[in-house]
Amino acid sequence: MFWGSFSFSVVASLPPVEGMMNLCKYIDLIERKAVPDMKKAFNDGGGKFQDLVPCLSSEKMKTIFRKQN
């Protein structure tokens, strides 16, 4: 499986995900790929992250998102 992201102006990295996605893999993916991609695409901080993955509602993920703005 691959996880990808895009915006109106940028197609970001397409990292592979081995096995089933879980919270630990998702956190690693967000910190390693999504955050840097978002900072590169929206260096003014204006971007919004949206994903429909159920693990996003966990308190751990909410803390990570708050920390990264």
Side-chain angles (χ1 to χ4, degrees):
M1 171 168 72
F2 290 88
W3 186 89
S5 61
F6 60 91
S7 74
F8 62 92
S9 62
V10 175
V11 175
S13 57
L14 191 65
V17 176
E18 294 195 27
M20 297 294 292
M21 179 68 79
N22 61 33
L23 182 58
C24 292
K25 287 181 185 181
Y26 196 75
I27 290 169
D28 179 63
L29 185 74
I30 295 300
E31 292 178 337
R32 231 176 6 93
K33 296 292 184 179
V35 169
D37 286 347
M38 289 285 293
K39 287 180 179 178
K40 183 178 177 183
F42 302 99
N43 56 9
D44 64 354
K48 300 279 186 208
F49 182 85
Q50 180 180 356
D51 199 334
L52 302 175
V53 176
C55 64
L56 285 179
S57 61
S58 74
E59 284 305 312
K60 195 168 188 175
M61 281 309 304
K62 289 176 185 177
T63 300
I64 288 170
F65 287 134
R66 278 192 296 269
K67 190 168 120 182
Q68 295 293 340
N69 289 327

